Amino acid sequence: MNIIKIGKALRAEKLIRVIEYLRVNPEISIAKAAELLESTRMPAWRYLTELFELGLLEPRYEGRNVYYSLNREWFREASEELYRLSVDEPK
């Protein structure tokens, strides 16, 4: 994991909204993401796909539906990377 990947994941308010929602809810569907983001399903699908491709979300398939949950391991690694950056001596 690198700092650039962390920055990409946290750069947009809409991506943060999805992450905040998933902090208190176990998973999110495309339909729920569309409602949360006040958009149609296509933009919501793009946001969820972007978060998935960055490694922040894990999918669960149920028939044709996809439900996403937080990849807690990604967040653990990101926090460790950010901490490392704060304490390591510059090279």
Side-chain angles (χ1 to χ4, degrees), residues 46-81:
R46 284 190 201 111
Y47 283 116
L48 293 176
T49 298
E50 183 174 356
L51 289 171
F52 168 71
E53 289 174 349
L54 288 168
L56 280 79
L57 301 182
E58 298 176 325
R60 179 178 69 81
Y61 300 94
E62 191 174 285
R64 294 179 56 190
N65 297 313
V66 183
Y67 299 90
Y68 293 93
S69 59
L70 289 179
N71 177 355
R72 306 241 181 238
E73 180 65 18
W74 186 95
F75 285 91
R76 186 191 62 74
E77 290 175 12
S79 66
E80 288 174 3
E81 179 69 13

Side-chain angles (χ1 to χ4, degrees), residues 31-47:
K32 183 62 181 177
E35 178 185 323
L36 178 71
L37 301 172
E38 300 173 353
S39 70
T40 63
R41 288 178 183 224
M42 185 55 80
W45 175 79
R46 284 190 201 111
Y47 283 116

